[in-house]
C-alpha cells in the first residue's frame, strides 16, 4: 500500500455505555473501555499485511454520546478526511462511529466512498473494500438500525431511571442551592450548610422587614457579606475588583421555593435523543415534592419576603443595542446597562452603570448618551479599518517572498513524501523476502528497525512541512480576504451588530466621557 495518507482509529465511550455497564459483567465493561478499543484496533493493524507499517492517527471521544455527530474527536477526524489526510478508518464496531441509522448509512454509502476512504468495523466484520460498488449489505444495514433503536431504548431507560430517583426523593441534579450541600454520608441527599444558611436566613429576615432586593444587596455589601461564589470557591480569583452582591442574586434567593423544603423536577424535556437542547415545561406542569429536605424559612416568612413575582413583572421587552454586552464601566468594571428613550423622548437612549447605586464608586459612568457613543465607536472603527488597510498594503511587498517560500515548501514536502513511500516499499519488500526465508530473522529485524527509524524521522519532517505550508498558504491568501472585509465594512453608515461582533472585543466608558476600545479583529497580526 503506497498511499501516503494516514490510517485513523476512532475510539468512543459514552454515558450510554456507562448505563449498560451498570448491569454488565467485569469482562463486558472492560471490552467497552478506551484502552481495550485502542489495543484491539492496533492489533488488527499489526496483523494486516496491507495496513501494518502505515502511520496511525488516533481520535478519541470519552464521555460523548453516539446519537449525534457533535463530538470534537470525530469532527477533527472528519476534517482530516476532507483534507485527504486519511485513507482508512477503523472502529471497534459501527456504534462507536454513530448510533444514528440514517447518518451512518450516509457516511458508509456516499461520503466515505466519494472521498476514497476505507471503513473497517472490526467486531461487526465489516470492511467497505469488500462492498465496493454496492450499498451497505442487508445484515450491516439491519445492525446499524439496531444500534439506533438500542440508543433510543437506553435513552428511555436513563430518563425513566432519573425520573424514578426524583420521585423517590433523591436529589440527582448538579449544584444544590445556596444554603445547602450534598450529604457525604447518604447518596443523593440534601443537608443544610449552616454557614451559607445563616446568610440565606438573614436575607429573608431583611425582606420580611420590607426591604427591597436592592436595599438588601446594599446591606450585604456594607457588611462585607461574602457572595455565593466567594463562599463556595474561596480559592478562585475574582475577575473584578468589586465582585459583590446584586439585587438579581438576592431576588433569586427570595423566590426560590427550595428554601421551603420543596424539590421540583421535570422542568424541561429534550427535543430528541442525543439533543443538547431542552424545551421548557410550563411551571404548572412541574412535579413537586414537599417536605423533601429541611426548610430554612417558614411559609409565612417566604410569603412576605417573596412579594416580587417574576410573572407579575412590568418589565417590557426592550430593543437591543448593538453594543450591549460589550460595554463596561471604567469605574467598577461591571457591564453597562442600556436604556431606550422614555418620557416622550425627554430621556434619550443612554447607557448607565447599574452597580453605581450599590457600590457608590465615584468613577462609575452613570450616564452616556447612546447616539454619541455610537458616533465615537464608528469613527474609531473607520480609523482602525484604515490602519488595517495600510498594514495590508505594506504586506503586499512580501507577496513575492511568500510565493517563493510556498514553492520551496511544496517541493520539500513532495520530496519527503516520495522518500517515505520509497521506504514503505523497501519495508514491504524486506518483509516479503523474510516471509519466503530469503533473509534471516536477525537481519530482517535489524534492517526493519533502521527503516522504521527513518520513516519516523520523515513523518516528523512531513508534519512540520505540512504545518509550515498550511501557515504560509493561509498568510498568503489572508490579505485578499481582509481587503474585501475592509471595503465592505468601510461603506456602512451606521454601527451594526455584525460589525460590533467582528471587530470589537470590549468598550470601556468613564465618567469623564473617555472611551477605550479593545479590538478583536487583527487581520492576521501575531
Amino acid at each position: 500500500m503506497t498511499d501516503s495518507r494516514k490510517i485513523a482509529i476512532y475510539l468512543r465511550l459514552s454515558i450510554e455505555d456507562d448505563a449498560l455497564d451498570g448491569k454488565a459483567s467485569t469482562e463486558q465493561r472492560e471490552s467497552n473501555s478506551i484502552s481495550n478499543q485502542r489495543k484491539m484496533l492496533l492489533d488488527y493493524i499489526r496483523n494486516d499485511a496491507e495496513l501494518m507499517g502505515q502511520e496511525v492517527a488516533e481520535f478519541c471521544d470519552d464521555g460523548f454520546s453516539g446519537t449525534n455527530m457533535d463530538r470534537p474527536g470525530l469532527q477533527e477526524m472528519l476534517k482530516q478526511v476532507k483534507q485527504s489526510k486519511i485513507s482508512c478508518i477503523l472502529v471497534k464496531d459501527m456504534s462507536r462511529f454513530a448510533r444514528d441509522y440514517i447518518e451512518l448509512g450516509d457516511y458508509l454509502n456516499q461520503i466515505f466512498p466519494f472521498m476514497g476512504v476505507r471503513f473497517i468495523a472490526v467486531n461487526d466484520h465489516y470492511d467497505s473494500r469488500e462492498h465496493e460498488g454496492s450499498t451497505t449489505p442487508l445484515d450491516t444495514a439491519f445492525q446499524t438500525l439496531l444500534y439506533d433503536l438500542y440508543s433510543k431504548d437506553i435513552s428511555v431507560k436513563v430518563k425513566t431511571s432519573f425520573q424514578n430517583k426524583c420521585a423517590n426523593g433523591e436529589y440527582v441534579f448538579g449544584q444544590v442551592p445556596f444554603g445547602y450541600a450534598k450529604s457525604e454520608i447518604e447518596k443523593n441527599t440534601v443537608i443544610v450548610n449552616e454557614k451559607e444558611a445563616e446568610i440565606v436566613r438573614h436575607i429573608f429576615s431583611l425582606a420580611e422587614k420590607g426591604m427591597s432586593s436592592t436595599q438588601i444587596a446594599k446591606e450585604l455589601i456594607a457588611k462585607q457579606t461574602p457572595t455565593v461564589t466567594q463562599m463556595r470557591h474561596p480559592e478562585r480569583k475574582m475577575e473584578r475588583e468589586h465582585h459583590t452582591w446584586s439585587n438579581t442574586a438576592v431576588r433569586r434567593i427570595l423566590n426560590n421555593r427550595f428554601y421551603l423544603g420543596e424539590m421540583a423536577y421535570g422542568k424541561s424535556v429534550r427535543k430528541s435523543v442525543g439533543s443538547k437542547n431542552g424545551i421548557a415545561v410550563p411551571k404548572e406542569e412541574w412535579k413537586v415534592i414537599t417536605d423533601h429536605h429541611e426548610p430554612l424559612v417558614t411559609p409565612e416568612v417566604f410569603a412576605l419576603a417573596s412579594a416580587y413575582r417574576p410573572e407579575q413583572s412590568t418589565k417590557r421587552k426592550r430593543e437591543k443595542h448593538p453594543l450591549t454586552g460589550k460595554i463596561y464601566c471604567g469605574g467598577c468594571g461591571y457591564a453597562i446597562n442600556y436604556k431606550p428613550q422614555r418620557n416622550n423622548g425627554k430621556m434619550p437612549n443612554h447607557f448607565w452603570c447599574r452597580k453605581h447605586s450599590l457600590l457608590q464608586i465615584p468613577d462609575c459612568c452613570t450616564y452616556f448618551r447612546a447616539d454619541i457613543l455610537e458616533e465615537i465607536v464608528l469613527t474609531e472603527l473607520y480609523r482602525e479599518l484604515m490602519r488595517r488597510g495600510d498594514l495590508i498594503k505594506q504586506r503586499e511587498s512580501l507577496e513575492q517572498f511568500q510565493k517563493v517560500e510556498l514553492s520551496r515548501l511544496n517541493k520539500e514536502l513532495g520530496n519527503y513524501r516520495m522518500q517515505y513511500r520509497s521506504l514503505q516499499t523497501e519495508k514491504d519488500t524486506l518483509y516479503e523476502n523474510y516471509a519466503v526465508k530469503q533473509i534471516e530473522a536477525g537481519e530482517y529485524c535489524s534492517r526493519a528497525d533502521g527503516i522504521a527509524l527513518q520513516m519516523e524521522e520523515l513523518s516528523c519532517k512531513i508534519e512540520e512541512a505540512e504545518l509550515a505550508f498550511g501557515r504560509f498558504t493561509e498568510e498568503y491568501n489572508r490579505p485578499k480576504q481582509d481587503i474585501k472585509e475592509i471595503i465592505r465594512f468601510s461603506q456602512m453608515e451606521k454601527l451594526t451588530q455584525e460589525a460590533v461582533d467582528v471587530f470589537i472585543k470590549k468598550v470601556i466608558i468613564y465618567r469623564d466621557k473617555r472611551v477605550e476600545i479593545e479590538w478583536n479583529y487583527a487581520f492576521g497580526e501575531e
Side-chain angles (χ1 to χ4, degrees):
M1 188 175 182
T2 58
D3 197 333
S4 62
R5 295 180 294 172
K6 298 178 288 189
I7 295 172
I9 61 172
Y10 178 69
L11 321 171
R12 183 182 67 79
L13 191 68
S14 73
I15 53 173
E16 297 148 10
D17 303 302
D18 292 337
L20 177 66
D21 289 348
K23 299 179 181 179
S25 65
T26 304
E27 290 79 6
Q28 287 174 316
R29 287 195 293 271
E30 171 58 24
S31 71
N32 280 330
S33 72
I34 292 294
S35 60
N36 184 269
Q37 292 179 48
R38 182 184 295 112
K39 183 178 183 300
M40 174 188 289
L41 299 180
L42 292 179
D43 285 346
Y44 185 93
I45 293 172
R46 278 193 289 266
N47 293 323
D48 188 291
E50 192 173 358
L51 297 178
M52 65 181 298
Q54 294 293 307
E55 182 183 356
V56 178
E58 178 183 307
F59 302 90
C60 178
D61 286 311
D62 195 352
F64 288 84
S65 171
T67 54
N68 65 68
M69 306 297 281
D70 187 17
R71 292 170 257 152
L74 179 66
Q75 290 302 316
E76 177 59 29
M77 182 177 72
L78 295 178
K79 177 182 176 183
Q80 294 196 25
V81 167
K82 294 176 183 178
Q83 295 171 345
S84 298
K85 293 181 178 181
I86 292 174
S87 63
C88 179
I89 296 174
L90 285 91
V91 293
K92 175 195 167 191
D93 53 52
M94 290 184 181
S95 69
R96 298 305 97 194
F97 182 78
R99 290 190 186 274
D100 187 286
Y101 169 67
I102 297 176
E103 192 109 46
L104 180 58
D106 286 342
Y107 276 94
L108 294 183
N109 292 327
Q110 300 178 36
I111 299 174
F112 288 154
F114 177 76
M115 299 299 296
V117 175
R118 181 181 176 188
F119 186 86
I120 299 173
V122 177
N123 275 4
D124 294 329
H125 307 291
Y126 175 82
D127 187 340
S128 62
R129 179 162 292 180
E130 298 175 4
H131 306 285
E132 286 183 333
S134 64
T135 57
T136 307
L138 184 60
D139 58 342
T140 303
F142 182 68
Q143 190 156 14
T144 57
L145 178 58
L146 287 180
Y147 284 139
D148 194 13
L149 295 175
Y150 164 79
S151 180
K152 290 179 171 60
D153 180 57
I154 287 294
S155 176
V156 171
K157 289 179 180 177
V158 171
K159 181 180 177 181
T160 303
S161 174
F162 180 84
Q163 290 178 339
N164 288 339
K165 286 182 178 181
C166 288
N168 290 332
E170 295 185 48
Y171 190 89
V172 290
F173 308 100
Q175 188 169 303
V176 292
F178 188 63
Y180 292 94
K182 288 185 178 180
S183 173
E184 296 180 357
I185 300 173
E186 190 174 352
K187 187 178 180 181
N188 297 335
T189 302
V190 176
I191 59 175
V192 175
N193 181 323
E194 286 301 335
K195 288 185 178 180
E196 295 179 0
E198 186 179 343
I199 297 174
V200 173
R201 294 189 186 103
H202 179 57
I203 290 173
F204 273 98
S205 67
L206 294 176
E208 189 181 6
K209 295 176 182 178
M211 293 178 66
S212 68
S213 55
T214 301
Q215 290 172 329
I216 294 172
K218 286 183 178 180
E219 175 80 8
L220 296 174
I221 293 169
K223 292 186 176 181
Q224 297 184 340
T225 305
T227 63
V228 177
T229 304
Q230 289 168 342
M231 285 287 288
R232 293 193 167 180
H233 304 282
E235 76 286 352
R236 256 188 218 173
K237 184 179 179 181
M238 297 298 107
E239 294 182 2
R240 303 183 186 90
E241 181 184 352
H242 307 288
H243 181 83
T244 185
W245 285 92
S246 67
N247 58 343
T248 304
V250 171
R251 196 180 302 131
R252 192 180 297 119
I253 290 175
L254 294 176
N255 288 282
N256 192 345
R257 297 186 65 84
F258 198 87
Y259 297 112
L260 282 171
E262 298 179 2
M263 184 187 79
Y265 64 98
K267 298 180 181 180
S268 65
V269 294
R270 296 291 180 189
K271 288 184 178 180
S272 60
V273 176
S275 172
K276 294 183 179 180
N277 299 320
I279 301 175
V281 173
K283 195 170 183 179
E284 56 271 15
E285 295 179 19
W286 292 0
K287 297 178 178 65
V288 179
I289 298 177
T290 57
D291 299 323
H292 173 264
H293 51 270
E294 182 182 343
L296 296 186
V297 295
T298 64
E300 294 76 21
V301 171
F302 186 87
L304 287 172
S306 60
Y308 171 85
R309 292 286 184 267
E311 58 270 20
Q312 297 174 357
S313 173
T314 57
K315 186 177 180 180
R316 299 180 299 274
K317 289 186 177 180
R318 295 170 175 170
E319 61 180 89
K320 183 184 177 183
H321 193 277
L323 289 170
T324 299
K326 300 277 188 177
I327 307 184
Y328 293 84
C329 176
C332 65
Y334 278 89
I336 291 282
N337 277 27
Y338 170 69
K339 275 195 176 181
Q341 66 178 9
R342 52 184 178 174
N343 298 333
N344 296 323
K346 293 180 180 178
M347 180 69 76
N349 300 344
H350 65 280
F351 293 94
W352 64 287
C353 179
R354 61 190 174 88
K355 286 289 184 179
H356 178 68
S357 60
L358 292 173
L359 303 176
Q360 296 296 315
I361 296 175
D363 293 332
C364 281
C365 182
T366 55
Y367 181 87
F368 205 121
R369 281 186 55 165
D371 55 347
I372 295 176
L373 184 60
E374 285 178 38
E375 192 65 33
I376 293 172
V377 172
L378 192 59
T379 301
E380 290 300 316
L381 180 55
Y382 287 148
R383 290 176 181 170
E384 182 70 7
L385 289 173
M386 291 174 63
R387 190 181 76 82
R388 305 294 186 187
D390 291 339
L391 184 62
I392 290 173
K393 288 177 182 179
Q394 293 172 18
R395 289 187 173 186
E396 287 178 354
S397 61
L398 300 174
E399 187 175 332
Q400 188 58 38
F401 165 75
Q402 290 174 330
K403 281 184 178 179
V404 173
E405 187 64 16
L406 279 173
S407 177
R408 184 190 68 79
L409 286 171
N410 191 37
K411 185 177 179 180
E412 184 180 81
L413 188 57
N415 288 335
Y416 287 151
R417 286 171 175 167
M418 187 181 300
Q419 292 175 44
Y420 190 90
R421 288 194 293 267
S422 177
L423 285 171
Q424 182 61 57
T425 302
E426 184 180 346
K427 186 176 182 181
D428 293 343
T429 303
L430 182 66
Y431 179 77
E432 291 170 2
N433 292 339
Y434 170 68
V436 297
K437 299 183 178 179
Q438 290 184 2
I439 58 175
E440 297 295 332
E443 182 182 354
Y444 168 73
C445 291
S446 177
R447 291 173 60 184
D449 288 344
I451 294 173
L453 183 60
Q454 293 180 63
M455 291 179 71
E456 186 178 348
E457 291 175 354
L458 274 173
S459 292
C460 293
K461 290 181 179 179
I462 289 172
E463 185 177 354
E464 291 174 2
E466 285 177 340
L467 288 172
F469 184 79
R471 186 170 61 252
F472 263 89
T473 301
E474 184 181 351
E475 290 177 0
Y476 178 75
N477 293 327
R478 185 180 295 156
K480 297 175 183 177
Q481 183 62 34
D482 289 346
I483 283 292
K484 291 180 182 178
E485 292 292 290
I486 288 175
I487 293 173
R488 182 165 71 92
F489 283 107
S490 62
Q491 294 175 347
M492 65 180 179
E493 297 179 356
K494 186 179 179 181
L495 193 64
T496 64
Q497 187 69 61
E498 182 186 11
V500 171
D501 292 340
V502 171
F503 293 98
I504 297 173
K505 181 179 180 180
K506 182 187 287 188
V507 177
I508 304 172
I509 57 178
Y510 294 86
R511 187 181 185 88
D512 59 5
K513 307 310 179 198
R514 283 183 296 122
V515 177
E516 295 177 0
I517 302 176
E518 293 182 18
W519 307 100
N520 62 5
Y521 195 82
F523 285 108
E525 285 188 63
E526 297 297 332

